[in-house]
Amino acid sequence: MKKFLSYSLPSIGLEEIKAVNKVLKSGWLTMGPETKLFEQQFARYTGAKSAIVVNSCTGALHLSLLALGIGRGDEVITSVYTFAATINVIIQVGAKPVLVDIDKKTYNIDPSKIEAVITRKTRAIIPVHFAGQPCDQKKIAKIAKKNKLYIVEDAAHALGSEYQGKRIGTFGDTTCFSFYATKNITTGDGGAITTNNEKLADKIKTLRLHGFDKDAWKRYSDKGNWYYEIKDCGWKYNLTDLQSAIGICQLKKLDKLNAIRKKYALLYYHGLASIKGIELPFIDPNVKLNYHLYPILLTTYNRNKFITGMAQQGIGCSVHFIPAYLHPYYQKTLMIKAKSYPNAQWVYEREVSLPLYPKMKTEDVNYVIRTIKKVLQQ
Ligand SMILES: *Cc1c(COP(=O)(O)O)cnc(C)c1O
């Protein structure tokens, strides 16, 4: 039987295994020196003053809203075309998610539709950089400034992407990244918040670990002291040194990994360009992509039938995303319907994410291209 080409696989090498081994033997497993180092390197990579690493991007988004003081009675605007976490954290702080349709080209929130939903209660916008494609920062910044709104970026897809020559990580009041297993770098699970606001960074650090005025390293290491005070009612959202050791290795490889993604994405562009019935991802001249996903649209062929056909040929595909109004919970609590989101619905019905990750081989990419042609002819 032919091998199955997974939709996604992480790029873990001997370096990661050695690094974890070293931490395991060190006697210090939780947040400590590796985490501190990972945070310094992550801040340097993104160009932000501070980076705070946490257990997930979901945790990063949640802490961002909490630290900005967003809660009951507030409204937060985000894209209808995103992962559940972006919307759930708004509900979890007691605020109301206000969901906006997407741009048909970039699949990002349509900036021209934001102002119409701003009310006296609106406090923040969470732009999601879909597939690593940076949002229209210029337009969003203008709207935020005019209406005195915070910006919390959901950059789960966007590590290493650039907007007008600048890496993602410093546009919003905070930027939230994910190190989940399918993202451009992984620590198994994990996430980071970057910010240039040092007061906000301190608040997030406190909220990340119970509300402690100091972390475990400052309590138990040789330079530590047993005394601590609780300054706030915090969460248990820290990353561990085991994970940070993996993160340090992964961050070192990130640009190389993204270059492989780019090489494969270009093979897809060339291999699929002449096929009728496929719309390829838009390339914005203002941005540099990290090629987190390769989302194509099928304009004539049935999407679900296509995914089944690909699976029968041993290729895993995915769909990004199931829009919020199709999930029973958001339908019920937010009273939202497909007809308010024609662009999201149009994209959703046609979208397929092809396998794209550095562990693939060139021949795998070529096999995907050949198989697409075959399936479309059936
Ligand atoms: C993966 C993802 C998240 C959640 O990331 P976790 O690290 O798994 O919490 C949030 N937003 C988007 C757009 C994502 O794709």
Side-chain angles (χ1 to χ4, degrees):
M1 215 185 101
K2 211 193 162 313
K3 65 162 189 172
F4 187 76
L5 181 70
S6 297
Y7 166 67
S8 174
L9 278 176
S11 296
I12 298 294
L14 215 56
E15 311 79 70
E16 283 83 355
I17 294 166
K18 279 188 190 150
V20 171
N21 214 342
K22 199 171 137 206
V23 173
L24 281 170
K25 288 178 179 160
S26 76
W28 189 276
L29 306 183
T30 186
M31 184 163 69
E34 294 287 329
T35 302
K36 197 159 247 164
L37 187 63
F38 185 31
E39 287 182 333
Q40 283 164 4
Q41 295 179 350
F42 198 83
R44 199 176 316 136
Y45 183 85
T46 54
K49 282 203 181 114
S50 306
I52 305 108
V53 293
V54 288
N55 63 347
S56 65
C57 181
T58 308
L61 291 163
H62 190 200
L63 291 183
S64 295
L65 295 181
L66 290 167
L68 290 168
I70 293 164
R72 203 165 297 274
D74 296 335
E75 292 177 2
V76 177
I77 293 169
T78 191
S79 169
V80 77
Y81 210 63
T82 185
F83 183 60
T86 327
I87 302 167
N88 287 350
V89 294
I90 301 171
I91 300 171
Q92 280 154 4
V93 300
K96 181 184 160 198
V98 176
L99 306 179
V100 171
D101 203 5
I102 52 171
D103 178 276
K104 238 169 142 178
K105 243 178 8 199
T106 62
Y107 319 149
N108 281 329
I109 191 167
D110 182 348
S112 73
K113 293 186 180 142
I114 293 178
E115 287 207 274
V117 299
I118 292 175
T119 70
R120 279 185 6 250
K121 295 176 178 174
T122 311
R123 299 281 313 280
I125 306 173
I126 309 183
V128 182
H129 306 301
F130 182 92
Q133 176 98 248
C135 284
D136 190 333
Q137 297 186 359
K138 240 176 160 171
K139 282 190 189 150
I140 292 173
K142 210 168 150 192
I143 295 166
K145 195 167 172 209
K146 185 175 148 202
N147 295 281
K148 296 193 173 63
L149 305 178
Y150 294 120
I151 296 172
V152 173
E153 290 171 85
D154 182 337
H157 291 186
L159 182 58
S161 284
E162 293 177 13
Y163 180 82
Q164 294 183 335
K166 224 166 135 191
R167 276 194 187 133
I168 294 293
T170 54
F171 163 57
D173 293 278
T174 70
T175 308
C176 303
F177 296 93
S178 174
F179 309 137
Y180 180 66
T182 58
K183 303 287 155 77
N184 288 38
I185 68 170
T186 185
T187 58
D189 262 308
I193 302 155
T194 56
T195 179
N196 280 336
N197 180 335
E198 282 168 66
K199 253 175 86 180
L200 199 59
D202 284 343
K203 178 132 182 130
I204 291 168
K205 277 183 199 162
T206 304
L207 288 173
R208 155 177 74 173
L209 199 70
H210 307 297
F212 280 145
D213 60 346
K214 56 176 80 164
D215 59 35
W217 182 246
K218 292 193 187 123
R219 285 158 59 210
Y220 299 125
S221 72
D222 52 357
K223 295 167 198 75
N225 179 309
W226 63 272
Y227 187 77
Y228 64 86
E229 287 177 353
I230 298 296
K231 289 203 299 191
D232 214 326
C233 184
W235 272 258
K236 182 68 167 68
Y237 278 0
N238 64 283
L239 203 67
T240 68
D241 264 21
L242 286 166
Q243 293 165 300
S244 293
I246 301 172
I248 290 167
C249 297
Q250 292 266 294
L251 187 61
K252 248 183 230 148
K253 300 180 188 172
L254 173 61
D255 286 343
K256 249 190 227 158
L257 294 176
N258 283 352
I260 302 172
R261 286 176 179 273
K262 181 175 178 178
K263 188 176 102 184
Y264 292 164
L266 293 179
L267 284 177
Y268 277 144
Y269 275 113
H270 293 136
L272 301 174
S274 61
I275 302 177
K276 279 207 188 76
I278 295 186
E279 207 167 292
L280 300 178
F282 168 68
I283 302 183
D284 181 340
N286 284 315
V287 313
K288 196 183 134 198
L289 280 181
N290 68 349
Y291 295 96
H292 173 58
L293 301 176
Y294 198 83
I296 62 167
L297 300 188
L298 298 173
T299 51
T300 51
Y301 198 87
N302 180 282
R303 191 267 314 273
N304 295 354
K305 204 174 133 198
F306 176 84
I307 293 178
T308 308
M310 293 294 281
Q312 279 164 356
Q313 301 296 321
I315 296 171
C317 294
S318 189
V319 173
H320 293 87
F321 287 104
I322 302 168
Y325 52 78
L326 292 180
H327 293 294
Y329 179 74
Y330 305 124
Q331 270 171 7
K332 201 170 62 195
T333 53
L334 306 177
M335 318 277 262
I336 49 176
K337 287 199 177 74
K339 70 173 187 332
S340 315
Y341 303 99
N343 291 352
Q345 186 61 19
W346 191 86
V347 174
Y348 168 65
E349 284 170 3
R350 292 161 180 79
E351 199 272 346
V352 181
S353 301
L354 301 179
L356 177 65
Y357 49 97
K359 264 241 153 122
M360 289 172 80
K361 301 274 187 312
T362 301
E363 67 235 43
D364 293 329
V365 182
N366 289 329
Y367 179 66
V368 175
I369 294 168
R370 281 202 309 278
T371 309
I372 290 173
K373 290 177 184 166
K374 194 165 134 190
V375 170
L376 288 182
Q377 270 162 17
Q378 280 166 5

